[in-house]
Amino acid sequence: MANASGFFTPSIPSLRLRRRIQSPIEIYRTGFCSPEGFSLRVFCSNTAQGSDKLASGSGASSSESRAPRLVSQGCKLVGCGSAVPTLKVSNDDLAKIVDTSDEWISVRTGIRNRRVLSGKDSLTTLAVEAGRKALQMSQVDPDDVDLVLMCTSTPEDLFGSAPQIQKALGCKSNPLAYDITAACSGFVLGLVSAACHIRGAGFQNVLVIGADALSQYVDWTDRGTCIIFGDAAGAVLVQACDSKEDGLFGFDLHSDGDGQRHLNATIKENEIDNALGSNGSVLDFPPKRSSYSCIKMNGNEVFRFAVRSVPHSIESALEKAGLPRSSIDWLLLHQANQRIIDAVATRLEVPPEQVISNLANYGNTSAASIPLALDEAVRSGKVKAGHTIAAAGFGAGLTWGSAIVRWR
């Protein structure tokens, strides 16, 4: 089992970091700092500064129990956006092609509708639309974007979709753009990665997009999986700020490859190639073409994994941030199953009115689910500036992670 938590500072010079920190170089826990002679001097840390609630002493942990925070610069969420396909597929629609019903699906999952790619829709166009909306809310020009992170497990190109999104957004300065593959945990990993780029390398504006089209990998005759997944894209703009305004307080990330057997879409050999045989070649060369199988999931095991692991992860992130449970204004989980959301909220003692859920309208949209739900909550006025959000993703890998963030 592998796990990681905290921020680190790479020894990469950056012209964007204009502030010189006069403190001596010190190393704490993980990461590494600037080499001797380099002008940038920072503290390495595995936690970020808490909110005003922390500064006022309302946190459960005292400041001396935390490692020193990174002091070069902070980061905060300043904009969001989302996009969904035009085609809506209801539970009644599914009942026409598979043995199920609206009641059967809604009782077990909380889902009533989902959006599915069709016609002129594509994952890239959805991601671009979500990203553009996030930039507009942030009042950031595409040319001022330093990095585009595309969190997806269903790219439209084997080599990644992020560069095409960067191009479509009109980022003429050619910023770095790359994909992060972690399924339903992808957005949380992207959020933490954005923070590391800002804190450690001096980036100013990082666009994090979560987008997936799992409908393309669903067996539409399997009612155990086809009822769950939908397609969507969501995005946030993470921006550098003064350390006193830092809005990413703490995080906790994990993976366990042993659980891969419970949720996967593995490579399978092409059946046509198998029928043709090896064509007289030796050593099975040239290699046979491969494709991915449909999603296979053991729902009961995934449910138990999520209900067990997610509360611990959120509590760990809160502890690293030096914040109590009572500091949470909103609980925002990956929208996988309403029963999972309810169970986690109960274990964390978060009342239902503080839980964000739009699962009924979109189903499980994988890496898109958290930013999609956040965008709707922000634009509806539910989430307001200064609110603290406990977000957590979990899924294939198995991977899971959480982040404690402040909106704006």
Side-chain angles (χ1 to χ4, degrees), residues 90-375:
S90 69
N91 291 345
D92 290 331
D93 292 329
L94 288 181
K96 298 175 183 178
I97 63 174
V98 68
D99 182 18
T100 189
S101 67
D102 175 65
E103 181 182 9
W104 194 92
I105 298 171
S106 59
V107 168
R108 287 163 176 78
T109 68
I111 301 169
R112 292 191 176 275
N113 297 287
R114 71 281 296 143
R115 300 297 184 98
V116 175
L117 286 177
S118 65
K120 296 181 180 179
D121 290 329
S122 74
L123 190 66
T124 298
T125 57
L126 292 182
V128 170
E129 182 181 349
R132 186 170 288 119
K133 289 178 179 177
L135 292 175
Q136 290 171 348
M137 181 183 290
S138 308
Q139 297 184 335
V140 170
D141 189 271
D143 274 349
D144 292 327
V145 173
D146 300 300
L147 173 66
V148 177
L149 298 176
M150 174 63 164
C151 308
T152 184
S153 294
T154 57
E156 294 179 334
D157 188 313
L158 178 63
F159 300 136
S161 293
Q164 286 70 48
I165 294 168
Q166 170 251 302
K167 176 184 176 182
L169 286 171
C171 304
K172 298 184 179 65
S173 57
N174 293 336
L176 174 64
Y178 63 87
D179 286 22
I180 293 177
T181 302
C184 304
S185 302
F187 178 76
V188 173
L189 269 64
L191 195 61
V192 173
S193 296
C196 290
H197 279 285
I198 289 172
R199 297 176 188 281
F203 287 34
Q204 298 296 304
N205 294 297
V206 179
L207 184 62
V208 182
I209 301 173
D212 266 312
L214 292 181
S215 67
Q216 299 173 342
Y217 297 91
V218 164
D219 178 356
W220 290 98
T221 67
D222 175 16
R223 75 171 184 174
T225 56
C226 75
I227 63 172
I228 296 172
F229 298 103
D231 307 331
V236 298
L237 196 285
V238 185
Q239 189 172 74
C241 64
D242 187 271
S243 59
K244 295 180 181 179
E245 301 175 355
D246 189 26
L248 178 53
F249 305 141
F251 63 87
D252 180 74
L253 306 174
H254 300 271
S255 64
D256 180 5
D258 187 55
Q260 183 259 0
R261 65 188 188 277
H262 299 311
L263 180 54
N264 61 75
T266 56
I267 285 180
K268 64 176 182 178
E269 292 185 346
N270 190 298
E271 294 179 359
I272 296 178
D273 285 348
N274 286 339
L276 294 175
S278 62
N279 198 27
S281 63
V282 295
L283 300 178
D284 290 325
F285 185 85
K288 298 174 182 178
R289 289 177 294 175
S290 298
S291 61
Y292 289 99
S293 68
C294 291
I295 296 171
K296 298 177 181 178
M297 181 176 67
N298 184 329
N300 290 333
E301 287 296 330
V302 172
F303 180 91
R304 282 192 282 267
F305 144 70
V307 172
R308 179 181 66 251
S309 301
V310 173
H312 288 308
S313 180
I314 292 175
E315 288 174 337
S316 178
L318 283 168
E319 182 180 357
K320 292 167 187 174
L323 295 173
R325 290 184 188 178
S326 59
S327 67
I328 298 175
D329 294 304
W330 298 103
L331 179 64
L332 175 52
L333 305 181
H334 163 54
Q335 306 288 291
N337 183 300
Q338 191 61 47
R339 292 193 299 170
I340 292 176
I341 296 173
D342 294 341
V344 173
T346 298
R347 294 199 178 191
L348 292 173
E349 299 179 345
V350 177
E353 60 271 19
Q354 291 178 239
V355 178
I356 298 174
S357 175
N358 66 351
L359 177 72
N361 296 323
Y362 303 106
N364 180 340
T365 57
S366 190
S369 74
I370 292 176
L372 172 62
L374 174 64
D375 185 49

